Amino acid sequence: MPDYLTLYAEAERLGFTDVIVADDGRLYKMPPGEYDIVSPLNAFAVRELAQMAASATGRNNAVLVTEAGIRTWFNLLPLN
């Protein structure tokens, strides 16, 4: 768990969040280790930021970045 706290803190510092906003404005918490960023950067630059955040844990890590056009989800915890 301390690794996720380190990851979360570093990801947040770099502009990532683990909260997404639905079309109706409601906020939802993403699963542990999942992060979102709204940025003008391309996927390769975002991957570099994500790798920096993951490396801050001092653990071996892997990073997957996708550019989203449409998102859908099920059973995420609402925050509001």
Side-chain angles (χ1 to χ4, degrees), residues 6 13-14 25 30-31 34 52 54 56-57 59-60 67 70 79:
T6 300
R13 185 184 76 75
L14 293 170
M30 297 175 73
E34 296 281 335
M52 288 171 44
T57 66
R59 307 278 239 150
N60 289 332
E67 289 186 56
I70 297 174
L79 295 179

Side-chain angles (χ1 to χ4, degrees), residues 44-66:
F44 299 100
V46 170
R47 184 191 64 202
E48 295 297 318
L49 289 176
Q51 285 176 302
M52 288 171 44
S55 293
T57 66
R59 307 278 239 150
N60 289 332
N61 58 74
V63 172
L64 171 69
V65 172
T66 59

Side-chain angles (χ1 to χ4, degrees), residues 6-59:
T6 300
L7 175 61
Y8 177 79
E10 188 64 12
E12 184 177 51
R13 185 184 76 75
L14 293 170
F16 293 91
T17 182
D18 64 350
V19 174
I20 55 176
V21 182
D23 289 342
D24 64 4
R26 293 183 66 190
L27 303 176
Y28 290 88
K29 180 86 167 161
M30 297 175 73
E34 296 281 335
Y35 297 93
D36 185 51
I37 188 169
V38 176
S39 170
L41 299 174
N42 65 32
F44 299 100
V46 170
R47 184 191 64 202
E48 295 297 318
L49 289 176
Q51 285 176 302
M52 288 171 44
S55 293
T57 66
R59 307 278 239 150

Side-chain angles (χ1 to χ4, degrees), residues 20 27-31 72-78:
I20 55 176
L27 303 176
Y28 290 88
K29 180 86 167 161
M30 297 175 73
T72 184
W73 58 84
F74 170 76
N75 214 23
L76 294 183
L77 296 175

